[in-house]
Amino acid sequence: MRKIGFIVLFLMTAFAMRAQDDVNFRVICKQQVTVGEQFQVSYELNGDGKNFEAPNFVNFEIIGGPYYSTSSSIQTINGSVTKTSTLTYSYYLRAIKEGEFTIPAATITKNKKKIKSSTATIKVVKSKTAVAGNDGNGTTAVENDAFLEATPNKRIAYIGEQITLTYKIYYNIPISDLSISKAPSYSGFWTKDVTDNNGVLQQSSTIKNGQEYHVATIQEIVLIPQKAGILTIDPLDITCIARIRNERQQPRGYDPFENFFGDIMGSTFTNIKKDMKSQPIDIEVKSLPSKDKPNSFTGAVGQFTFTSKIDKTEMKSNDAFTISYTVSGKGNIELLDIPRPVFPPDFEVYDPKITTNTKNNTYGISGTKTAEYVVVPRVSGDFTLNPNEFSYFDPVKGKYVTLSSDQYNLTVERSANEGNTGIIYAGGQEAIKVVGSDISHIMSNPKFGKNQTLLFASPLYFIILITMIAIFVIAILLYRRINKFNQNQVLVRNKKATKTAKKRLKDAYNYLKIKDQNHFYEELSQALWGYISDKLNISRSQLSMDSVREMMTGKNVSEDIVNQFIELLNNCEFARFAPGDSDKKMEDLYQKGIEVITKAEKNLG
């Protein structure tokens, strides 16, 4: 009996020693990748183990991991059934520099003994030589499974001509949690976001490079170049969560049912963070031709019509009338200026009210811009308002076009108070006159008081006279000061910057209450861009992230406030595409908008 027990013990010990000899802990990865490529590294152990210790991937960026998975297979040979199991720890890495590197070993404890895996050598090259798909070593490349592409509708344009830039994501793997991590500065361009998807990506299918993809438009931007030359649009960076399949070499006799049920339960898929970047784009911008450029050209580029409207042509002197000039069409409608008409010298003209209405879509920006004038004729007579000219450059025709408004003939009748702008005293009773009236003097020998005392030359007479002269002088001084203030447009814009921004923020808050995302973000963005444009006297056409940073820094605004302002501009542009609670995002951005404008005002004064 002892002999039999000894034999059994010997056989068990020999089996255990053989089992230890059969331990296989190996690393599986590609042999070659490109800089920036994401790839999978797996540490695979036959059997069970615990206390996995990860290596230090010093030459690579860890995108995700470690991810733990187990599998088993059943093999039948000559009626003998053998079951094997495999334990796998996976990482997703990104190659960050060229060279030949070692994928280091990991350690794990099996049967109370710490064992070390094999190592592997991987070559990182500059040019893309790897092919997307399974490489035969148990990994699946995701480089071409999802990518971002930027497409302009034209690569050659004139200064002021619209360019529509579309960002699309192509994918054939499940993706989620899409967000923009870094937006281009669009240096040299005036920009406007015309994306119209209400935060929901519209998907479709297409064939690209011989492969079928789902495709969705991420963003559409209208660019209007402001200077000539080769302008480069930097890449747009986005991140998402990609759900990819964990693949490995299948051992002989693998269980197909395990693979089938593994797919259903999702155990053979892993979620990893994936970064995507669009390609940089060069745009050739041509200067507008100087030949045949009309004097009335003020920078309008596109296709436009020009009309005018007057509310009346017959009136009395000192009665106001309104006349408006409207530009309609497609082009840089928000940036153009409507030429100021020429009015007769005896007409008082107030600053025009400018109204802009635009429609934004994938074909660009179109709409109307109106300048409405309030005019007061001070004298009677017949007058002619000559046609006002508006010129624009048509990039399709490659030439300038000049349009004219209607001509208006005005009949101004004399009113009872024509020319009554003040009282002039030239000395003597007969010399007191009302300017512009038919009265050459007032009533002679006026009486005043109960005792019929003469008003003329009395103390009260001189008090009234001095008071009127003082009021007249003060009025003249105030008029000159206000006129000088209004002529200094830089000072006017600076003083009105905060007031205008507050109005925009109030409009944004109204849209916040009704949860209108598109109009909310537009008003908040306009409040920020408008404030900095007015405060720093930068024209809207020259605004960019770079120019804002440069000008604010030049005004000794603290770097912290500058960074907050730039970050808020970026967040405002792209918040509607980010995942999460849209109401909370809008509320947070609104509060940040108030805070950053308040801080900027304290610094800029």
Side-chain angles (χ1 to χ4, degrees), residues 497-517:
T498 305
K499 181 179 179 181
T500 304
K502 286 181 179 179
K503 182 180 181 303
R504 287 281 192 183
L505 288 172
K506 183 178 179 181
D507 293 339
Y509 180 71
N510 291 333
Y511 288 123
L512 170 63
K513 289 192 295 185
I514 61 175
K515 301 180 180 180
D516 187 339
Q517 287 192 65

PDB file of all heavy atoms in Angstrom, residues 497-517:
ATOM      1  N   ALA A 497     -18.375  99.387 -25.110  1.00  0.00           N
ATOM      2  CA  ALA A 497     -18.059  97.957 -25.199  1.00  0.00           C
ATOM      3  C   ALA A 497     -18.799  97.146 -24.142  1.00  0.00           C
ATOM      4  O   ALA A 497     -19.451  96.142 -24.446  1.00  0.00           O
ATOM      5  CB  ALA A 497     -16.543  97.755 -25.064  1.00  0.00           C
ATOM      6  N   THR A 498     -18.721  97.580 -22.892  1.00  0.00           N
ATOM      7  CA  THR A 498     -19.353  96.820 -21.805  1.00  0.00           C
ATOM      8  C   THR A 498     -20.873  96.851 -21.931  1.00  0.00           C
ATOM      9  O   THR A 498     -21.543  95.832 -21.713  1.00  0.00           O
ATOM     10  CB  THR A 498     -18.934  97.405 -20.449  1.00  0.00           C
ATOM     11  OG1 THR A 498     -17.503  97.438 -20.380  1.00  0.00           O
ATOM     12  CG2 THR A 498     -19.462  96.558 -19.313  1.00  0.00           C
ATOM     13  N   LYS A 499     -21.415  98.016 -22.300  1.00  0.00           N
ATOM     14  CA  LYS A 499     -22.867  98.131 -22.437  1.00  0.00           C
ATOM     15  C   LYS A 499     -23.384  97.191 -23.525  1.00  0.00           C
ATOM     16  O   LYS A 499     -24.396  96.504 -23.350  1.00  0.00           O
ATOM     17  CB  LYS A 499     -23.233  99.585 -22.769  1.00  0.00           C
ATOM     18  CG  LYS A 499     -24.720  99.827 -22.900  1.00  0.00           C
ATOM     19  CD  LYS A 499     -25.006 101.297 -23.201  1.00  0.00           C
ATOM     20  CE  LYS A 499     -26.512 101.532 -23.358  1.00  0.00           C
ATOM     21  NZ  LYS A 499     -26.801 102.961 -23.681  1.00  0.00           N
ATOM     22  N   THR A 500     -22.670  97.166 -24.660  1.00  0.00           N
ATOM     23  CA  THR A 500     -23.078  96.280 -25.757  1.00  0.00           C
ATOM     24  C   THR A 500     -22.957  94.820 -25.346  1.00  0.00           C
ATOM     25  O   THR A 500     -23.825  93.997 -25.665  1.00  0.00           O
ATOM     26  CB  THR A 500     -22.205  96.558 -26.997  1.00  0.00           C
ATOM     27  OG1 THR A 500     -22.293  97.946 -27.337  1.00  0.00           O
ATOM     28  CG2 THR A 500     -22.671  95.716 -28.179  1.00  0.00           C
ATOM     29  N   ALA A 501     -21.873  94.479 -24.643  1.00  0.00           N
ATOM     30  CA  ALA A 501     -21.689  93.088 -24.197  1.00  0.00           C
ATOM     31  C   ALA A 501     -22.792  92.670 -23.236  1.00  0.00           C
ATOM     32  O   ALA A 501     -23.300  91.541 -23.301  1.00  0.00           O
ATOM     33  CB  ALA A 501     -20.318  92.931 -23.536  1.00  0.00           C
ATOM     34  N   LYS A 502     -23.195  93.575 -22.336  1.00  0.00           N
ATOM     35  CA  LYS A 502     -24.270  93.250 -21.390  1.00  0.00           C
ATOM     36  C   LYS A 502     -25.581  92.976 -22.124  1.00  0.00           C
ATOM     37  O   LYS A 502     -26.342  92.089 -21.745  1.00  0.00           O
ATOM     38  CB  LYS A 502     -24.447  94.396 -20.400  1.00  0.00           C
ATOM     39  CG  LYS A 502     -23.343  94.484 -19.355  1.00  0.00           C
ATOM     40  CD  LYS A 502     -23.583  95.623 -18.379  1.00  0.00           C
ATOM     41  CE  LYS A 502     -22.495  95.689 -17.316  1.00  0.00           C
ATOM     42  NZ  LYS A 502     -22.713  96.832 -16.374  1.00  0.00           N
ATOM     43  N   LYS A 503     -25.837  93.749 -23.172  1.00  0.00           N
ATOM     44  CA  LYS A 503     -27.062  93.530 -23.954  1.00  0.00           C
ATOM     45  C   LYS A 503     -27.031  92.154 -24.623  1.00  0.00           C
ATOM     46  O   LYS A 503     -28.022  91.421 -24.631  1.00  0.00           O
ATOM     47  CB  LYS A 503     -27.222  94.614 -25.012  1.00  0.00           C
ATOM     48  CG  LYS A 503     -28.504  94.481 -25.837  1.00  0.00           C
ATOM     49  CD  LYS A 503     -28.597  95.583 -26.873  1.00  0.00           C
ATOM     50  CE  LYS A 503     -29.905  95.458 -27.681  1.00  0.00           C
ATOM     51  NZ  LYS A 503     -30.034  94.164 -28.338  1.00  0.00           N
ATOM     52  N   ARG A 504     -25.861  91.796 -25.175  1.00  0.00           N
ATOM     53  CA  ARG A 504     -25.716  90.480 -25.800  1.00  0.00           C
ATOM     54  C   ARG A 504     -25.898  89.366 -24.773  1.00  0.00           C
ATOM     55  O   ARG A 504     -26.542  88.349 -25.046  1.00  0.00           O
ATOM     56  CB  ARG A 504     -24.339  90.368 -26.440  1.00  0.00           C
ATOM     57  CG  ARG A 504     -24.177  91.172 -27.718  1.00  0.00           C
ATOM     58  CD  ARG A 504     -24.799  90.472 -28.902  1.00  0.00           C
ATOM     59  NE  ARG A 504     -24.422  91.072 -30.155  1.00  0.00           N
ATOM     60  CZ  ARG A 504     -24.870  90.687 -31.326  1.00  0.00           C
ATOM     61  NH1 ARG A 504     -25.726  89.689 -31.409  1.00  0.00           N
ATOM     62  NH2 ARG A 504     -24.489  91.281 -32.423  1.00  0.00           N
ATOM     63  N   LEU A 505     -25.316  89.550 -23.596  1.00  0.00           N
ATOM     64  CA  LEU A 505     -25.443  88.542 -22.542  1.00  0.00           C
ATOM     65  C   LEU A 505     -26.894  88.400 -22.089  1.00  0.00           C
ATOM     66  O   LEU A 505     -27.360  87.299 -21.775  1.00  0.00           O
ATOM     67  CB  LEU A 505     -24.553  88.906 -21.354  1.00  0.00           C
ATOM     68  CG  LEU A 505     -23.048  88.733 -21.565  1.00  0.00           C
ATOM     69  CD1 LEU A 505     -22.271  89.308 -20.396  1.00  0.00           C
ATOM     70  CD2 LEU A 505     -22.692  87.264 -21.749  1.00  0.00           C
ATOM     71  N   LYS A 506     -27.625  89.524 -22.068  1.00  0.00           N
ATOM     72  CA  LYS A 506     -29.034  89.459 -21.699  1.00  0.00           C
ATOM     73  C   LYS A 506     -29.819  88.667 -22.731  1.00  0.00           C
ATOM     74  O   LYS A 506     -30.682  87.844 -22.386  1.00  0.00           O
ATOM     75  CB  LYS A 506     -29.600  90.870 -21.574  1.00  0.00           C
ATOM     76  CG  LYS A 506     -31.052  90.913 -21.127  1.00  0.00           C
ATOM     77  CD  LYS A 506     -31.547  92.352 -20.976  1.00  0.00           C
ATOM     78  CE  LYS A 506     -33.020  92.372 -20.542  1.00  0.00           C
ATOM     79  NZ  LYS A 506     -33.521  93.774 -20.419  1.00  0.00           N
ATOM     80  N   ASP A 507     -29.498  88.903 -24.024  1.00  0.00           N
ATOM     81  CA  ASP A 507     -30.161  88.138 -25.088  1.00  0.00           C
ATOM     82  C   ASP A 507     -29.808  86.654 -24.970  1.00  0.00           C
ATOM     83  O   ASP A 507     -30.675  85.788 -25.164  1.00  0.00           O
ATOM     84  CB  ASP A 507     -29.737  88.666 -26.459  1.00  0.00           C
ATOM     85  CG  ASP A 507     -30.257  90.076 -26.713  1.00  0.00           C
ATOM     86  OD1 ASP A 507     -31.232  90.474 -26.039  1.00  0.00           O
ATOM     87  OD2 ASP A 507     -29.692  90.771 -27.578  1.00  0.00           O
ATOM     88  N   ALA A 508     -28.538  86.367 -24.649  1.00  0.00           N
ATOM     89  CA  ALA A 508     -28.121  84.968 -24.481  1.00  0.00           C
ATOM     90  C   ALA A 508     -28.881  84.311 -23.333  1.00  0.00           C
ATOM     91  O   ALA A 508     -29.280  83.148 -23.423  1.00  0.00           O
ATOM     92  CB  ALA A 508     -26.613  84.893 -24.241  1.00  0.00           C
ATOM     93  N   TYR A 509     -29.096  85.063 -22.255  1.00  0.00           N
ATOM     94  CA  TYR A 509     -29.822  84.514 -21.104  1.00  0.00           C
ATOM     95  C   TYR A 509     -31.273  84.190 -21.478  1.00  0.00           C
ATOM     96  O   TYR A 509     -31.828  83.179 -21.031  1.00  0.00           O
ATOM     97  CB  TYR A 509     -29.787  85.508 -19.954  1.00  0.00           C
ATOM     98  CG  TYR A 509     -30.518  85.016 -18.709  1.00  0.00           C
ATOM     99  CD1 TYR A 509     -29.991  83.988 -17.929  1.00  0.00           C
ATOM    100  CD2 TYR A 509     -31.737  85.573 -18.336  1.00  0.00           C
ATOM    101  CE1 TYR A 509     -30.662  83.526 -16.813  1.00  0.00           C
ATOM    102  CE2 TYR A 509     -32.414  85.113 -17.217  1.00  0.00           C
ATOM    103  CZ  TYR A 509     -31.871  84.086 -16.457  1.00  0.00           C
ATOM    104  OH  TYR A 509     -32.538  83.630 -15.356  1.00  0.00           O
ATOM    105  N   ASN A 510     -31.877  85.035 -22.308  1.00  0.00           N
ATOM    106  CA  ASN A 510     -33.251  84.768 -22.753  1.00  0.00           C
ATOM    107  C   ASN A 510     -33.314  83.468 -23.552  1.00  0.00           C
ATOM    108  O   ASN A 510     -34.252  82.681 -23.412  1.00  0.00           O
ATOM    109  CB  ASN A 510     -33.769  85.936 -23.591  1.00  0.00           C
ATOM    110  CG  ASN A 510     -33.977  87.195 -22.756  1.00  0.00           C
ATOM    111  OD1 ASN A 510     -34.227  87.115 -21.554  1.00  0.00           O
ATOM    112  ND2 ASN A 510     -33.872  88.357 -23.379  1.00  0.00           N
ATOM    113  N   TYR A 511     -32.295  83.227 -24.398  1.00  0.00           N
ATOM    114  CA  TYR A 511     -32.258  81.975 -25.155  1.00  0.00           C
ATOM    115  C   TYR A 511     -31.949  80.797 -24.235  1.00  0.00           C
ATOM    116  O   TYR A 511     -32.389  79.677 -24.486  1.00  0.00           O
ATOM    117  CB  TYR A 511     -31.211  82.063 -26.266  1.00  0.00           C
ATOM    118  CG  TYR A 511     -31.611  82.971 -27.402  1.00  0.00           C
ATOM    119  CD1 TYR A 511     -30.815  84.055 -27.778  1.00  0.00           C
ATOM    120  CD2 TYR A 511     -32.788  82.753 -28.108  1.00  0.00           C
ATOM    121  CE1 TYR A 511     -31.186  84.895 -28.815  1.00  0.00           C
ATOM    122  CE2 TYR A 511     -33.158  83.578 -29.146  1.00  0.00           C
ATOM    123  CZ  TYR A 511     -32.368  84.652 -29.497  1.00  0.00           C
ATOM    124  OH  TYR A 511     -32.737  85.476 -30.530  1.00  0.00           O
ATOM    125  N   LEU A 512     -31.172  81.061 -23.179  1.00  0.00           N
ATOM    126  CA  LEU A 512     -30.882  80.010 -22.200  1.00  0.00           C
ATOM    127  C   LEU A 512     -32.158  79.536 -21.519  1.00  0.00           C
ATOM    128  O   LEU A 512     -32.357  78.337 -21.316  1.00  0.00           O
ATOM    129  CB  LEU A 512     -29.884  80.540 -21.167  1.00  0.00           C
ATOM    130  CG  LEU A 512     -29.630  79.665 -19.921  1.00  0.00           C
ATOM    131  CD1 LEU A 512     -29.009  78.337 -20.325  1.00  0.00           C
ATOM    132  CD2 LEU A 512     -28.717  80.387 -18.942  1.00  0.00           C
ATOM    133  N   LYS A 513     -33.043  80.475 -21.198  1.00  0.00           N
ATOM    134  CA  LYS A 513     -34.275  80.110 -20.505  1.00  0.00           C
ATOM    135  C   LYS A 513     -35.178  79.233 -21.365  1.00  0.00           C
ATOM    136  O   LYS A 513     -35.884  78.375 -20.851  1.00  0.00           O
ATOM    137  CB  LYS A 513     -35.015  81.381 -20.078  1.00  0.00           C
ATOM    138  CG  LYS A 513     -34.325  82.132 -18.944  1.00  0.00           C
ATOM    139  CD  LYS A 513     -35.211  83.214 -18.329  1.00  0.00           C
ATOM    140  CE  LYS A 513     -35.497  84.311 -19.336  1.00  0.00           C
ATOM    141  NZ  LYS A 513     -36.259  85.433 -18.730  1.00  0.00           N
ATOM    142  N   ILE A 514     -35.161  79.465 -22.691  1.00  0.00           N
ATOM    143  CA  ILE A 514     -36.014  78.658 -23.573  1.00  0.00           C
ATOM    144  C   ILE A 514     -35.249  77.496 -24.200  1.00  0.00           C
ATOM    145  O   ILE A 514     -35.753  76.806 -25.073  1.00  0.00           O
ATOM    146  CB  ILE A 514     -36.655  79.530 -24.673  1.00  0.00           C
ATOM    147  CG1 ILE A 514     -35.579  80.165 -25.556  1.00  0.00           C
ATOM    148  CG2 ILE A 514     -37.548  80.601 -24.066  1.00  0.00           C
ATOM    149  CD1 ILE A 514     -36.161  80.938 -26.732  1.00  0.00           C
ATOM    150  N   LYS A 515     -33.972  77.313 -23.739  1.00  0.00           N
ATOM    151  CA  LYS A 515     -33.131  76.180 -24.165  1.00  0.00           C
ATOM    152  C   LYS A 515     -32.890  76.163 -25.669  1.00  0.00           C
ATOM    153  O   LYS A 515     -32.874  75.095 -26.301  1.00  0.00           O
ATOM    154  CB  LYS A 515     -33.750  74.854 -23.709  1.00  0.00           C
ATOM    155  CG  LYS A 515     -33.927  74.746 -22.202  1.00  0.00           C
ATOM    156  CD  LYS A 515     -34.530  73.424 -21.790  1.00  0.00           C
ATOM    157  CE  LYS A 515     -34.699  73.355 -20.265  1.00  0.00           C
ATOM    158  NZ  LYS A 515     -35.285  72.080 -19.826  1.00  0.00           N
ATOM    159  N   ASP A 516     -32.708  77.350 -26.252  1.00  0.00           N
ATOM    160  CA  ASP A 516     -32.379  77.474 -27.676  1.00  0.00           C
ATOM    161  C   ASP A 516     -30.857  77.514 -27.800  1.00  0.00           C
ATOM    162  O   ASP A 516     -30.230  78.565 -27.684  1.00  0.00           O
ATOM    163  CB  ASP A 516     -33.012  78.748 -28.248  1.00  0.00           C
ATOM    164  CG  ASP A 516     -32.847  78.848 -29.758  1.00  0.00           C
ATOM    165  OD1 ASP A 516     -31.939  78.189 -30.297  1.00  0.00           O
ATOM    166  OD2 ASP A 516     -33.628  79.580 -30.393  1.00  0.00           O
ATOM    167  N   GLN A 517     -30.250  76.335 -28.025  1.00  0.00           N
ATOM    168  CA  GLN A 517     -28.794  76.236 -28.001  1.00  0.00           C
ATOM    169  C   GLN A 517     -28.125  77.088 -29.070  1.00  0.00           C
ATOM    170  O   GLN A 517     -27.180  77.826 -28.779  1.00  0.00           O
ATOM    171  CB  GLN A 517     -28.356  74.779 -28.204  1.00  0.00           C
ATOM    172  CG  GLN A 517     -28.589  73.881 -27.008  1.00  0.00           C
ATOM    173  CD  GLN A 517     -27.871  72.557 -27.189  1.00  0.00           C
ATOM    174  OE1 GLN A 517     -26.651  72.512 -27.242  1.00  0.00           O
ATOM    175  NE2 GLN A 517     -28.625  71.481 -27.298  1.00  0.00           N
TER     176      GLN A 517
END
